[in-house]
Amino acid sequence: MSVNTDRHQTAAARYFEAWNATDPEALGKAVAAAWAPEGSYTDPLADVAGHAQIAAVIAAAHARFPGFVFRPLGSVDGHHDTARFGWELVNEADGSAPVAGFDVVTLDEEGRIRRVLGFLDRVPAGA
């Protein structure tokens, strides 16, 4: 049973804001707003901790997929200090979405992300 709250929605919104920031300064601010200082991000392609390393992973994704944005798929599902949500990486020019997955996040007392466990459901060959 989901007990989705504004806290979970806000954390997911901040998460997508960080993943969609392309300017280095905006990216740094968005990561700091979304993640706790000791926050981490783990998926099949990355395992990092701290704001600088998380920002570097996001910047690398934008370098690999220029002109793409991360968009939520469906709603945020959450309870206690944990939330999960689906996402896709969408080409703004043609609407294609070659990458998709879902993430499970753990929040701190202030609603910032303490940990992300990411799962990739769709990845293009060679990515």
Side-chain angles (χ1 to χ4, degrees), residues 98-118:
V99 182
F102 78 92
D103 293 339
V104 177
V105 301
T106 304
L107 306 177
D108 70 7
E109 301 76 28
E110 296 174 13
R112 290 187 299 173
I113 297 168
R114 186 179 293 153
R115 183 175 189 190
V116 175
L117 295 175

Side-chain angles (χ1 to χ4, degrees), residues 7 19 27 36 53 58 71 76 102 105 117:
R7 181 173 184 247
W19 275 97
L27 174 56
Q53 290 184 1
I58 292 170
R71 293 201 180 135
V76 177
F102 78 92
V105 301
L117 295 175

Side-chain angles (χ1 to χ4, degrees), residues 5-28:
T5 67
D6 287 343
R7 181 173 184 247
H8 299 115
Q9 294 283 358
T10 299
R14 288 182 185 153
Y15 179 82
F16 284 106
E17 184 176 332
W19 275 97
N20 286 319
T22 56
D23 172 74
E25 184 176 341
L27 174 56

Side-chain angles (χ1 to χ4, degrees), residues 11 13 15 18 20 61 63 65 67-69 82 84-85 90 92 94 100 106 117 119 126-127:
Y15 179 82
N20 286 319
F65 295 96
F68 284 73
V69 294
T82 303
R84 67 179 177 171
F85 47 85
V90 180
E92 290 187 293
D94 66 13
T106 304
L117 295 175
F119 297 84

Side-chain angles (χ1 to χ4, degrees), residues 30-126:
V31 167
W35 269 271
E38 71 285 353
S40 65
Y41 177 86
T42 303
D43 72 13
L45 306 173
D47 187 11
V48 298
H51 292 169
Q53 290 184 1
I54 293 166
V57 166
I58 292 170
H62 285 287
R64 171 72 175 95
F65 295 96
F68 284 73
V69 294
F70 286 87
R71 293 201 180 135
L73 277 177
S75 60
V76 177
D77 183 27
H79 61 82
H80 298 90
D81 62 354
T82 303
R84 67 179 177 171
F85 47 85
W87 54 266
E88 62 184 353
L89 185 60
V90 180
N91 184 324
E92 290 187 293
D94 66 13
S96 64
V99 182
F102 78 92
D103 293 339
V104 177
V105 301
T106 304
L107 306 177
D108 70 7
E109 301 76 28
E110 296 174 13
R112 290 187 299 173
I113 297 168
R114 186 179 293 153
R115 183 175 189 190
V116 175
L117 295 175
F119 297 84
L120 301 174
D121 297 325
R122 183 173 62 236
V123 180

